[in-house]
Amino acid sequence: EESINVAANTSNVRAKLYYVGNGLSWNNSNCTWWININGNSGSGSHNFGKSGTQYLGERVVTVGHNSDGSKSVSVSASFATGVSIGTLTTSASITLTKIPRKSSLGSVTPASVAYGSPVTIALSRAVSSFTHTLQIYYGDAWHDIATGVGDSYEWTPAKTLASSFPTSPATVDLRVITFNGSTNLGSNDYKSAITLTATSDMAPKVAATVADTEGYLTKYGGLVQNKSRVKVTLSETLSYGSPIKSRTIQIGSEYFS
């Protein structure tokens, strides 16, 4: 393996062919050799006219890697000597360097952020030209929060997003999708990568009104022991989809749910 091209996901593989002599001297001209690298074949000729080790020729082939950056290639060669030793062959298989593909999450700063405040998502990418789509998971699906991202992105989670996360704090899964141009190189998912917290103005607001169904409160300006029947009515104002988990009313030492 001579060199790699991370952006193109390829390697240049060079194969050199030698004849290692057996102590005898041969004499023949224009003897053909072939080299096949990963199914790409080429040939040349050699004047076979001396003993000892002889350089016959070489080939360079650009080999594409698999989508995950891995690749193994087979190399084979032959040399038609034109003399009594006939056609010589050899072969080998090599594993190429795994080329980094999908970018990874570098950091989330801060890791816990309130709705309406910014959080910086930093990425670690193999090639500076790679771009990314960032997604978060809610409602049984992945949703884009940014596209065309380089190595970092500042995201401000809108308060309206809280309706999709009924608890606070809420942990959010993050997906990083890597692109080389328009080619999708794959994605990495990060569980509970960001924690979102509610702000004080997002809490539900509750008001209570008290009435005496027997009318004593209106008539006398107060409740009458063992006579009044108290009715408490709650009115709720919910913000940004905040849920009501329970309702409890305390009257004296008694609790009603």
Side-chain angles (χ1 to χ4, degrees):
E1 185 179 20
E2 189 171 70
S3 62
I4 64 173
N5 185 324
V6 178
N9 198 30
T10 61
S11 290
N12 284 344
V13 177
R14 182 183 297 272
K16 294 182 178 182
L17 184 62
Y18 292 85
Y19 166 77
V20 180
N22 60 358
L24 300 177
S25 180
W26 307 99
N27 187 11
N28 198 14
S29 60
N30 293 321
C31 301
T32 302
W33 56 262
W34 294 267
I35 297 177
N36 185 298
I37 303 174
N38 198 47
N40 189 314
S41 186
S43 62
S45 62
H46 175 71
N47 292 327
F48 192 34
K50 61 181 180 179
S51 62
T53 299
Q54 301 174 47
Y55 167 78
L56 304 180
E58 63 187 79
R59 296 198 68 238
V60 179
V61 172
T62 300
V63 177
H65 287 228
N66 300 321
S67 59
D68 65 353
S70 65
K71 184 64 178 179
S72 294
V73 299
S74 59
V75 180
S76 61
S78 61
F79 177 45
T81 66
V83 296
S84 61
I85 56 177
T87 298
L88 307 177
T89 61
T90 186
S91 63
S93 179
I94 60 173
T95 299
L96 303 180
T97 301
K98 188 173 183 178
I99 298 176
R101 306 308 295 148
K102 299 180 294 183
S103 299
S104 59
L105 178 64
S107 63
V108 174
T109 309
S112 179
V113 65
Y115 291 99
S117 297
V119 57
T120 299
I121 302 169
L123 306 176
S124 176
R125 53 182 176 175
V127 178
S128 61
S129 61
F130 285 178
T131 60
H132 311 87
T133 292
L134 303 180
Q135 297 179 329
I136 59 172
Y137 188 84
Y138 61 88
D140 297 325
W142 289 98
H143 302 266
D144 290 355
I145 61 172
T147 59
V149 175
D151 56 9
S152 68
Y153 179 72
E154 185 178 271
W155 175 53
T156 299
K159 290 184 177 181
T160 53
L161 186 62
S163 61
S164 300
F165 298 95
T167 61
S168 179
T171 57
V172 182
D173 299 341
L174 177 69
R175 171 172 287 178
V176 179
I177 308 173
T178 306
F179 291 88
N180 181 18
S182 61
T183 302
N184 187 328
L185 302 181
S187 63
N188 283 318
D189 294 345
Y190 299 92
K191 188 76 173 176
S192 303
I194 306 171
T195 299
L196 300 178
T197 59
T199 55
S200 59
D201 64 317
M202 300 173 70
K205 297 176 177 61
V206 180
T209 58
V210 179
D212 180 356
T213 59
E214 299 299 324
Y216 294 112
L217 181 61
T218 302
K219 185 175 182 179
Y220 300 113
L223 301 175
V224 178
Q225 188 174 9
N226 298 324
K227 295 290 187 179
S228 294
R229 293 174 63 86
V230 177
K231 178 182 179 181
V232 179
T233 303
L234 300 179
S235 60
E236 303 159 346
T237 302
L238 304 183
S239 302
Y240 303 103
S242 56
I244 299 296
K245 297 180 66 174
S246 65
R247 297 172 177 83
T248 301
I249 299 172
Q250 180 184 358
I251 302 177
S253 60
E254 296 188 59
Y255 292 85
F256 303 89
S257 297

